[in-house]
Amino acid sequence: MKVLVIGGGGRCHAIVDALSRSPKVTEIVCAPGNAGIAQQARCVALKDTDVEGLLKLALEERFDLTVVGPESALAAGVVDTFKAHGLRIFGPTKAAAQIESSKEFAKNLMAEYGIPTAAYRTFTDYGEASAYVASRPLPAVLKYDGLAAGKGVVIARTAEEADHALRDMLLDGRFGQGKVVVEDFLEGPEFSFMCFVSGREVVPMVLSQDHKRAFDNDEGPNTGGMGAYSPLPFITDEDREYALEKIMRPTAAALADKGTPFCGVLYGGLMKTPAGIKVIEFNARFGDPETEVVLPRLKSDIYDVFCAVADGKGVTLEWSDRATLGIVLASKGYPGSYEKGFAIDGLDEVDGRVYHMGTAVRDGRFVTAGGRVAIVVCEGATVAEAQAKALAEVARIKCDNLFHRSDIGYQAVACEK
Ligand code: AMP
Ligand code: GLY
């Protein structure tokens, strides 16, 4: 079988790696891929949003399956176009992907179907938004409505911070169309619950947790994710059952009811608050870097899983009991400005999985080519063991311009003790 994977980050590398473990898959093509993915797949220089180009490639190469990684490709309508041409593709249509691309759509759906989430209101008017924020306790959570690559959320701890953010989002037009969801601040551990969804069929994956802040102790600015691990010892089986039955299944059913049935990975960004588990956000795709620690635990043939979901059939999944933990190596300065082109040595010496996020090859050597550069994923009997192993393996990688967190998984390690 011949498979096309659309995307080019660490998540796509993990998808390509999982597909390469399937005895059924004989050829993997990745668009655009990256320097690491190129070791395991044929990379084609097409942007993930180049729908015309991707369609032309698919019609020429006659793939048995296409898998979509990033939200940008979904928002560009690649799934709709492929389906219109009768091509088998794993991922939601643009309409179903609104669960991620429009916070207002997601919030309204949750309100209508009683899916637990923070109280909220939506505004386009600066004056009305200010008055509402003033009437609620601080901190205020302000979310720009639309895809903002993780940069659209401001947690304002003071009235001045809130006003500054509202001005940015509603008056300056820096973000675009100007619509803001204001919601109540929730507290508790966050976790990621990814499910394979095909209409009303919901098949859960193992739980994982991302670390969004740049530095140890969850300090510093929000990033695309500095590491992840699985499983989560502080989330009980009861919690997981609740999240599955009260959040993930009803959301899939609600999308089907609304005439926008979901096909692909529905990602619940959830928080275990003192008042129960609530939704922080939904994504319409695999999480990054969660996928890099979840897929290595999957024992089932992922090609079969993707095809079953794409074809609207049920699947059962088998998982390894081993814990996985991934540490991201990022360019110094990230998520702010950073330099590229630094040589990276030792990637081949790592005893574990290395998924490339932003690398290139220059004169036969890997060099840094992005903010997040690579993720090193190791296994262990416990999260603590996986953490120790991953830290030791990361130390083998030599580069003058990289940094990483050394406390990925700390909540689980404390819980295991
Ligand atoms: P989002 O893009 O919606 O996932 O938000 C990014 C991050 O902001 C989340 O991972 C949370 O850490 C934080 N966040 C979002 N909404 C809330 C909320 N209502 N209360 C507390 N923290 C939040
Ligand atoms: N790890 C969060 C995300 O993929 O959006």
Side-chain angles (χ1 to χ4, degrees):
M1 298 296 172
K2 196 170 159 184
V3 185
L4 171 65
V5 178
I6 299 175
R11 163 182 48 205
C12 281
H13 197 174
I15 292 170
V16 166
D17 186 42
L19 280 165
S20 71
R21 292 195 291 276
S22 165
K24 292 186 184 136
V25 175
T26 49
E27 192 179 353
I28 308 172
V29 176
C30 193
N34 65 35
I37 293 173
Q39 296 179 312
Q40 286 179 281
R42 172 158 57 91
C43 294
V44 177
L46 283 173
K47 276 197 193 151
D48 57 29
T49 51
D50 180 359
V51 179
E52 296 256 308
L54 292 166
L55 177 67
K56 192 163 164 276
L57 177 75
L59 292 172
E60 278 167 14
E61 300 234 8
R62 300 170 164 273
F63 299 107
D64 296 286
L65 167 74
T66 297
V67 180
V68 184
E71 60 275 30
S72 46
L74 300 173
V78 71
V79 172
D80 307 63
T81 301
F82 272 48
K83 282 199 165 150
H85 285 80
L87 301 171
R88 185 198 257 164
I89 187 160
F90 176 91
T93 59
K94 228 167 138 173
Q98 281 183 96
I99 192 81
E100 169 169 6
S101 61
S102 165
K103 301 234 183 240
E104 191 181 18
F105 175 89
K107 279 296 201 179
N108 287 343
L109 194 81
M110 286 187 267
E112 187 177 342
Y113 288 84
I115 294 157
T117 188
Y120 74 100
R121 276 185 57 188
T122 306
F123 298 92
T124 50
D125 181 75
Y126 165 77
E128 287 172 21
S130 293
Y132 178 73
V133 168
S135 75
R136 307 291 301 175
L138 288 167
V141 180
L142 311 172
K143 300 187 176 184
Y144 171 72
D145 192 26
L147 287 176
K151 293 176 194 81
V153 178
V154 173
I155 305 206
R157 302 200 176 260
T158 65
E160 290 71 39
E161 270 175 44
D163 186 60
H164 188 80
L166 286 178
R167 279 174 186 278
D168 260 7
M169 293 178 186
L170 291 174
L171 293 182
D172 293 357
R174 194 161 56 92
F175 284 85
Q177 123 224 53
K179 195 189 276 179
V180 170
V181 176
V182 179
E183 65 178 46
D184 287 356
F185 179 75
L186 302 177
E187 265 177 304
E190 283 182 64
F191 61 103
S192 306
F193 195 3
M194 298 192 281
C195 295
F196 288 107
V197 172
S198 183
R200 288 166 200 277
E201 190 80 37
V202 177
V203 182
M205 293 184 229
V206 291
L207 300 178
S208 55
Q209 191 189 45
D210 177 14
H211 294 242
K212 288 195 170 121
R213 301 294 203 99
F215 310 126
D216 282 6
N217 304 313
D218 291 326
E219 283 167 17
N222 256 323
T223 70
M226 294 298 294
Y229 65 97
S230 175
L232 309 182
F234 52 88
I235 302 295
T236 64
D237 289 348
E238 259 174 18
D239 290 335
R240 185 173 173 279
E241 203 54 25
Y242 176 91
L244 181 60
E245 299 304 331
K246 302 291 181 199
I247 295 175
M248 304 308 290
R249 283 198 207 284
T251 301
L255 284 163
D257 279 350
K258 288 282 171 197
T260 51
F262 193 95
C263 167
V265 173
L266 182 63
Y267 165 119
L270 310 181
M271 190 184 270
K272 184 176 174 174
T273 80
I277 295 173
K278 299 198 181 190
V279 176
I280 294 288
E281 66 165 347
F282 281 115
N283 291 327
R285 45 156 181 98
F286 279 111
D288 193 359
E290 289 93 328
T291 304
E292 290 93 311
V293 296
V294 167
L295 290 188
R297 294 189 61 202
L298 181 66
K299 292 207 279 189
S300 314
D301 185 326
I302 200 162
Y303 177 79
D304 290 339
V305 176
F306 283 145
C307 288
V309 174
D311 297 345
K313 296 187 190 133
V315 273
T316 47
L317 304 178
E318 237 194 293
W319 297 96
S320 154
D321 290 336
R322 307 262 300 160
T324 48
L325 187 137
I327 299 175
V328 170
L329 293 148
S331 295
K332 285 178 188 165
Y334 173 78
S337 59
Y338 53 83
E339 288 177 61
K340 299 181 193 178
F342 291 83
I344 317 165
D345 288 315
L347 288 171
D348 297 336
E349 284 154 43
V350 170
D351 178 23
R353 296 187 154 93
V354 178
Y355 295 129
H356 291 233
M357 302 175 119
T359 62
V361 174
R362 199 181 56 204
D363 305 328
R365 265 173 112 183
F366 285 118
V367 296
T368 62
R372 290 186 300 167
V373 172
I375 181 168
V376 172
V377 179
C378 291
E379 292 180 14
T382 59
V383 175
E385 212 179 284
Q387 185 197 54
K389 175 84 175 148
L391 282 168
E393 295 306 317
V394 159
R396 293 183 198 267
I397 297 174
K398 305 288 180 230
C399 178
D400 285 341
N401 199 48
L402 292 178
F403 77 98
H404 64 270
R405 279 182 62 161
S406 45
D407 66 344
I408 300 301
Y410 71 90
Q411 290 175 16
V413 172
C415 186
E416 284 172 348
K417 278 187 185 145

